Amino acid sequence: MTKKYSVKTLCQNLPGFRVAATLAATLMMVAAVPASADTIERIKESGQINFGYFVNARPFTASASGGKPEGYGVDLCTQIAGRVKKELGLSQLKENWVPVTGADYLSKVKDGGVDLLCTPINETVTRRKDVSFSISVFPGGIRAVMRKDAALALREALSETPAQRPLWRGSPATKVLSQKAFGVVAGTSSETWLTGEIGSLQIHSKIVPLANYEEGVKQLVNRKIDVFFGDRAVVLGAMDAKASRELVVLDRLLTFEPYELTMARGDDDFRLIVDSTLSDLYATPGFDDDFFKWFGEYDLKTSLFFEWQVLMP
């Protein structure tokens, strides 16, 4: 009886097939490793660390004279750079500050062009598919911003006090929120949240996607939108003197979104240095002063937030 062989079996016995197959498998394994999975080795070899930042995200990060940006996130990353330098035994470590945008920051972190994104952002399931995050660095969340001369009913519908009814539920809140223009920065979790709220509650209002917080503040002052939704700290950082006089950030926290620093996936050694630095920093006397410098408050809730972030030795 003639024994039959499959094409696969015949190919496996051809000279060089096994070597080629092994090489191909190895290349596939290498390709599967994130480009930035060896951050520490790259930093050690180059003597440089690449910090990404948004240029218009004050008080977290913002461009400044002299080349190096400024802000709360910059202060955190400067501390991290010092720890990296010490851990790797480097005599010098150059800090490269790389401007990023909402369109490219994830790809730059993922591909290794940025070792650490110093502008804090909130962690989401979608983002975790591409990047990793540090322990939390800021107790963020969405609030409503409006003109001080806005209708009292509109203000009460979105405020913590004096209204004590559930947000956006029933009459008259739903009627007050209908036929309004709500501004939000495009591509953010704030836009996702706002779209979901309006859709589920069937509020007949318009969502206005905006380029950034500065544009949101400007549109609100110029009466192009009725309410702007965003993080209080960034809103205040985007206000000029005129906006500060005419606008108010309401007290109700609509969402709770801790913010983190962003790095490549699969790089546990680098993440350990980042998290250890932050944890030690939170437990250091004087951290509250640095936080106060950028945000103007460090109350009991904020203190407890950072106490929960501190890692045990």
Side-chain angles (χ1 to χ4, degrees), residues 125-244:
V125 172
T126 300
R127 289 169 178 167
R128 285 187 64 181
K129 294 177 182 178
D130 294 315
V131 294
S132 183
F133 295 88
S134 69
I135 60 174
S136 298
V137 300
F138 184 79
I142 299 170
R143 298 177 194 261
V145 191
M146 61 182 62
R147 293 181 296 276
K148 291 180 179 179
D149 63 0
L152 179 60
L154 178 61
R155 184 162 178 167
E156 286 191 346
L158 295 170
S159 181
E160 184 76 20
T161 55
Q164 297 298 322
R165 54 184 172 273
L167 176 67
W168 292 17
R169 301 286 182 180
S171 178
T174 301
K175 294 180 180 179
V176 170
L177 294 166
S178 294
Q179 306 303 320
K180 297 294 188 295
F182 296 140
V184 67
V185 177
T188 63
S189 58
S190 300
E191 183 181 31
T192 303
W193 168 82
L194 182 59
T195 301
E197 287 292 309
I198 288 180
S200 64
L201 298 176
Q202 299 181 350
I203 297 173
H204 301 291
S205 290
K206 179 174 65 174
I207 296 178
V208 182
L210 301 167
N212 50 49
Y213 273 74
E214 286 77 9
E215 182 64 19
V217 169
K218 181 179 178 181
Q219 292 269 19
L220 197 54
V221 170
N222 292 336
R223 302 180 180 274
K224 301 294 184 181
I225 58 176
D226 299 295
V227 183
F228 177 68
F229 292 96
D231 188 274
R232 175 182 179 275
V234 188
V235 169
L236 294 178
M239 288 185 181
D240 56 17
K242 176 179 173 61
S244 297

Side-chain angles (χ1 to χ4, degrees), residues 4-265:
K4 296 183 179 180
Y5 295 90
S6 66
V7 174
K8 178 179 179 181
T9 302
L10 290 171
C11 289
Q12 288 175 338
N13 288 280
L14 290 175
F17 177 84
R18 293 180 180 177
V19 174
T22 301
L23 178 60
T26 302
L27 291 175
M28 290 178 66
M29 291 176 64
V30 171
V33 177
S36 299
D38 56 347
T39 306
I40 291 179
E41 288 301 317
R42 186 173 63 250
I43 293 173
K44 189 173 183 178
E45 291 178 3
S46 66
Q48 302 180 52
I49 186 167
N50 298 323
F51 289 137
Y53 73 102
F54 287 92
V55 299
N56 293 315
R58 190 179 303 276
F60 294 123
T61 58
S63 296
S65 58
K68 183 177 179 178
E70 62 182 11
Y72 173 68
V74 176
D75 288 352
L76 295 181
C77 284
T78 299
Q79 292 287 335
I80 292 169
R83 177 68 68 89
V84 170
K85 179 181 176 182
K86 181 179 179 181
E87 292 277 342
L88 299 185
L90 300 175
S91 58
Q92 298 290 332
L93 179 61
K94 182 181 178 182
E95 298 176 20
N96 298 320
W97 292 90
V98 183
V100 298
T101 67
D104 67 8
Y105 74 95
L106 284 179
S107 62
K108 286 188 176 180
V109 172
K110 183 179 178 181
D111 297 338
V114 165
D115 298 317
L116 189 64
L117 179 64
C118 297
T119 307
I121 63 173
N122 60 314
E123 182 177 359
T124 67
V125 172
T126 300
R127 289 169 178 167
R128 285 187 64 181
K129 294 177 182 178
D130 294 315
V131 294
S132 183
F133 295 88
S134 69
I135 60 174
S136 298
V137 300
F138 184 79
I142 299 170
R143 298 177 194 261
V145 191
M146 61 182 62
R147 293 181 296 276
K148 291 180 179 179
D149 63 0
L152 179 60
L154 178 61
R155 184 162 178 167
E156 286 191 346
L158 295 170
S159 181
E160 184 76 20
T161 55
Q164 297 298 322
R165 54 184 172 273
L167 176 67
W168 292 17
R169 301 286 182 180
S171 178
T174 301
K175 294 180 180 179
V176 170
L177 294 166
S178 294
Q179 306 303 320
K180 297 294 188 295
F182 296 140
V184 67
V185 177
T188 63
S189 58
S190 300
E191 183 181 31
T192 303
W193 168 82
L194 182 59
T195 301
E197 287 292 309
I198 288 180
S200 64
L201 298 176
Q202 299 181 350
I203 297 173
H204 301 291
S205 290
K206 179 174 65 174
I207 296 178
V208 182
L210 301 167
N212 50 49
Y213 273 74
E214 286 77 9
E215 182 64 19
V217 169
K218 181 179 178 181
Q219 292 269 19
L220 197 54
V221 170
N222 292 336
R223 302 180 180 274
K224 301 294 184 181
I225 58 176
D226 299 295
V227 183
F228 177 68
F229 292 96
D231 188 274
R232 175 182 179 275
V234 188
V235 169
L236 294 178
M239 288 185 181
D240 56 17
K242 176 179 173 61
S244 297
R245 291 192 302 268
E246 297 184 7
L247 304 182
V248 59
V249 182
L250 301 187
D251 49 5
R252 184 188 288 270
L253 192 60
L254 302 173
T255 65
F256 180 68
E257 303 177 52
Y259 292 173
E260 292 85 25
L261 305 182
T262 312
M263 66 201 83
R265 291 186 67 189

